[in-house]
Amino acid sequence: MAGLIDQIEPLKQAALAELKAAPDPAALEQTKGAWIGPNGKFTALMKQLGTLSKEEKPAAGKLINAAKMELEAALAERRSELDLKAALPKEPTDFTLPGRRRALGKLHPLTQVTEDIIRSFRKIGFVVADGPEIEDEYHCFDALNTPADHPARDTQDTFYLAKPDGSQPSTLNPQLLLRTHTSSVQIRVMKSQPPPVRIIVPGRVYRRDNADATHNPTFQQIEGLYVDKNVTVGDLKGTVEFVFKELLGEETKIRFRPHYFSYTEPSFEIDFQNALVKKLGKDWLEIAGCGMVHPAVFENVGYDPEVWTGWAFGFGIERIAMLRYGINDIRLFYENDVRFLKQF
Ligand code: DAH
């Protein structure tokens, strides 16, 4: 039998060749066992070290250790090669297949309608104003000439916020509520600047309504306010007509019906008529409230009602979007179902 030292190199070479050729992880583990496992051929060689003389042992030990390290390195390398191979697709890649498309988001239909309305008003010199959704009673009601016993202020109609410390509301510690309309922003803007004013205010409002096909506890409004010298109902009508024709088509007609709002005098409701309304089997559809700003409101914000005149209006966005897109249930707007949203 050849000397132990002479056997190291050929055994190592044979082991290396088998490790490198292992076709899959299972075969590799088997090869490993056959060579460097407890009963492996290379392990057997190491076990024979003890039979060598004192002089031979150190050199042989060194050689065997170096060879074993080489085998372990080869094992690790083959293992990662096989892992990589397993991770690659079995079939060749078909580069002619269509790519995976990323779904593109788009603007919510309510946002689209709001932006269209804003675009129309910008053409005639209006700017967008904003205000808080958590309001106080003063801006939402009192300053708008809406007395304490007005039904709009009923707890059944409005979301009041509880005082966290249980304290009673006072002038410095006002009763807060979720705004019931965007009209509160009229007050905030007029208090913050002198006339003239030409604003529109898109925003979310809240009412204690049960949700059904035409009601939802939150919805969107657009408020308009125009204050200058010698402003008339004629200006109001002309403006509303211009915007509604832009929004709902040239053939759209509008009419004013006398109504009551505490912050305008005279007050009107606006109805409109077009092919969409006819399709619903109706002649006119109510769309907005409006009127000439009440002198008491001007006094509340420090504008002289003898000098300044103005008009205001407010309408719901959902109504217009429902008509425009033929949507029959207001709740669809808030469900965020992409199958619904991507149609617009
Ligand atoms: N705030 C009213 C509502 O929510 C709408 C409205 C009516 C606004 C008349 C106005 C207005 O500015 O003058 O129903």
Side-chain angles (χ1 to χ4, degrees), residues 224-259:
L225 174 67
Y226 178 36
V227 182
D228 209 331
K229 289 177 178 157
N230 307 315
V231 176
T232 68
V233 174
D235 297 316
L236 170 57
K237 216 167 172 183
T239 306
V240 170
E241 201 165 275
F242 167 76
V243 171
F244 275 76
K245 281 189 176 197
E246 285 230 323
L247 203 61
L248 297 163
E250 224 0 83
E251 95 285 18
T252 305
K253 289 203 175 80
I254 60 159
R255 79 175 178 192
F256 279 31
R257 259 184 306 108
H259 198 72

Side-chain angles (χ1 to χ4, degrees), residues 107-114 317 321 325 327 333 340-341 344:
L107 294 177
H108 192 284
L110 292 177
T111 308
Q112 293 184 39
V113 171
T114 306
I317 309 269
Y325 299 120
I327 295 164
F333 287 126
F340 169 75
L341 294 174
F344 309 102

Side-chain angles (χ1 to χ4, degrees), residues 305-341:
E306 296 299 328
V307 178
W308 302 102
T309 46
W311 52 247
F313 69 81
F315 58 86
I317 309 269
E318 278 82 350
R319 191 98 192 254
I320 294 178
M322 286 170 83
L323 269 165
R324 182 196 259 193
Y325 299 120
I327 295 164
N328 56 13
D329 194 320
I330 195 172
R331 291 167 291 194
L332 290 164
F333 287 126
Y334 318 112
E335 284 169 0
N336 285 336
D337 184 333
V338 279
R339 289 168 304 179
F340 169 75
L341 294 174

Side-chain angles (χ1 to χ4, degrees), residues 272-285 323:
F272 81 100
Q273 181 185 72
N274 70 0
L276 294 170
V277 177
K278 288 263 156 70
K279 234 166 93 182
L280 295 175
K282 299 191 174 170
D283 272 345
W284 296 95
L285 212 60
L323 269 165

Side-chain angles (χ1 to χ4, degrees), residues 180-181 183 186 207 221 223-224 261 263-264 289-291 312-314:
T180 56
H181 52 187
S183 305
Q186 290 187 30
R207 306 240 174 120
Q221 282 190 331
E223 189 82 14
F261 295 104
Y263 32 97
T264 43
C290 67
F313 69 81

